[in-house]
Amino acid sequence: PAPPLPPPANIVVVVSTEPELQAAVKGARSNTTIALMPGVYTLTSTLYFNGTFSDVTLRGATDGRDDVVIAGPGMRQPAGNTPFGVWTGGNVTGLTIANLTLRGFPFHPIIFNVPGPNDGEVGEGGISDPFFLAVNDPVITVFFTSGGQSSSGA
């Protein structure tokens, strides 16, 4: 198993429902930990971290990655508002995703826009220094996009 994360510091937002999770992600700012209580969070839309901030953590409240599940609509369902689990834009530095499971997303469970040549334009900007710990998905795919080009990695 992965080593446990240190206790959250600074701002801690504890969520136990999908609407609380959506609100916490939309309101994310620097030095914030979003702690998900055990359960299944079936998303109504992709969790979109967008803005200029740093050191944000999305994590299960326990050290067990199977205790928290972020679920999409399913692999054979229309994507609707949830083609991805987590998507970053803007200028995010130091996003940590830990102690949870992502499953059932028709495209990628995690998609990161990385800084590109047109930063500042709509849809541009991105992430630097992402960190994953004890993240489970039946098919781990992290999709990076930049400047009209894309690559996939895990």
Side-chain angles (χ1 to χ4, degrees):
L5 288 174
N10 299 317
I11 302 162
V12 179
V13 179
V14 178
V15 301
S16 59
T17 67
E18 192 271 348
E20 290 174 346
L21 174 58
Q22 291 287 350
V25 169
K26 286 181 182 143
R29 57 184 197 257
S30 293
N31 303 307
T32 298
T33 294
I34 301 169
L36 290 80
M37 296 304 293
V40 176
Y41 298 79
T42 302
L43 298 184
T44 56
S45 63
T46 295
L47 298 174
Y48 189 43
F49 287 94
N50 187 29
T52 300
F53 47 82
S54 61
D55 301 319
V56 173
T57 299
L58 178 68
R59 68 181 282 182
T62 71
D63 289 332
R65 68 181 185 185
D66 296 322
D67 293 343
V68 172
V69 176
I70 298 176
M75 300 300 287
R76 296 187 178 162
Q77 301 299 319
N81 292 328
T82 320
F84 312 106
V86 177
W87 190 349
T88 63
N91 188 20
V92 180
T93 302
L95 176 67
T96 297
I97 300 174
N99 301 341
L100 53 82
T101 295
L102 293 139
R103 71 172 177 223
F105 295 97
F107 295 99
H108 306 288
I110 301 170
I111 185 165
F112 290 146
N113 288 343
V114 294
N118 299 317
D119 284 353
E121 295 180 15
V122 174
E124 290 291 329
I127 188 167
S128 59
D129 301 324
F131 178 75
F132 301 95
L133 176 72
V135 176
N136 185 28
D137 187 288
V139 180
I140 292 291
T141 304
V142 178
F143 196 72
F144 295 88
T145 65
S146 175
Q149 298 178 351
S150 63
S151 62
S152 183

